[in-house]
Amino acid sequence: MARVVVDVMLKPEILDPQGQAVQRALPRLGFEGVSDVRQGKRFELEVDGPVDDSALARIHELAESFLANTVIEDFTVKVEEVKAEAGK
Amino acid sequence: MARVVVDVMLKPEILDPQGQAVQRALPRLGFEGVSDVRQGKRFELEVDGPVDDSALARIHELAESFLANTVIEDFTVKVEEVKAEAGK
């Protein structure tokens, strides 16, 4: 059992109104010194079995086809260690 | 200039319909072996100046107050290195 994280962010050249709204609100709320905020999505996938190269390739394909809109979004795939659970 | 990443995920005990919808769709789309999907938010903050302990403490406070709803969401704060840009 492993956890694979897919981060999906708007491409740098795409306007991000959600992030801008957060960034503009921060000084009003007393937080200075944040020059830019981008907001994206994070998917945590629990994958059965070992995450070998072929599994990663499939998850990459999955992320590219279904999790990200690659016209406007970039994505990254990372493997995260998960503590072993009893019986797994 | 440093990038700080705040990941906001629903707490494990909170139902995640978005993640479930993705997880249920995967077998239909030809991807087996993913037992769970959770969907959350990722914020990338570009912070002016060095990210020392006091800056991190403020970002933690910011994340807790404005980026996450801590009744139903957990968050993590991580510093990411950013390549130096010309003139910075």
Side-chain angles (χ1 to χ4, degrees):
Chain A
M1 190 86 151
R3 171 175 295 168
V4 178
V5 174
V6 180
D7 286 322
V8 178
M9 301 297 294
L10 285 171
K11 286 178 193 279
E13 65 269 28
I14 305 286
L15 204 65
D16 177 3
Q18 289 187 108
Q20 278 186 352
V22 173
Q23 194 256 324
R24 283 182 194 154
L26 292 182
R28 265 194 288 127
L29 300 168
F31 294 93
E32 306 282 347
V34 176
S35 58
D36 192 26
V37 176
R38 308 278 294 172
Q39 179 172 348
K41 284 176 282 186
R42 174 185 169 94
F43 295 91
E44 294 182 351
L45 284 66
E46 308 295 333
V47 178
D48 303 332
V51 180
D52 48 18
D53 283 353
S54 84
L56 265 187
R58 284 180 60 72
I59 290 168
H60 200 274
E61 195 191 326
L62 180 165
E64 190 164 13
S65 335
F66 307 118
L67 302 183
N69 174 355
T70 54
V71 177
I72 57 166
E73 291 170 328
D74 288 326
F75 67 94
T76 58
V77 177
K78 276 174 299 190
V79 183
E80 258 187 22
E81 286 308 307
V82 179
K83 280 170 231 107
E85 288 171 58
K88 296 208 174 160
Chain B
M1 188 86 152
R3 171 175 295 169
V4 178
V5 174
V6 179
D7 287 321
V8 178
M9 301 297 294
L10 285 171
K11 286 179 192 280
E13 65 269 27
I14 306 286
L15 205 65
D16 177 1
Q18 289 188 109
Q20 278 186 352
V22 173
Q23 193 255 324
R24 285 184 192 151
L26 292 182
R28 265 193 287 126
L29 301 168
F31 294 93
E32 307 282 347
V34 177
S35 58
D36 192 27
V37 177
R38 309 278 293 173
Q39 179 171 349
K41 285 175 282 187
R42 174 185 168 94
F43 296 90
E44 293 182 352
L45 283 67
E46 308 297 331
V47 179
D48 303 332
V51 180
D52 48 17
D53 283 354
S54 83
L56 264 187
R58 284 182 58 73
I59 290 168
H60 201 273
E61 194 191 328
L62 180 165
E64 190 166 12
S65 335
F66 307 118
L67 302 182
N69 173 354
T70 53
V71 176
I72 57 166
E73 290 169 329
D74 288 327
F75 67 93
T76 59
V77 177
K78 276 174 301 190
V79 183
E80 257 186 23
E81 288 307 309
V82 179
K83 279 171 232 103
E85 288 171 60
K88 298 210 173 163

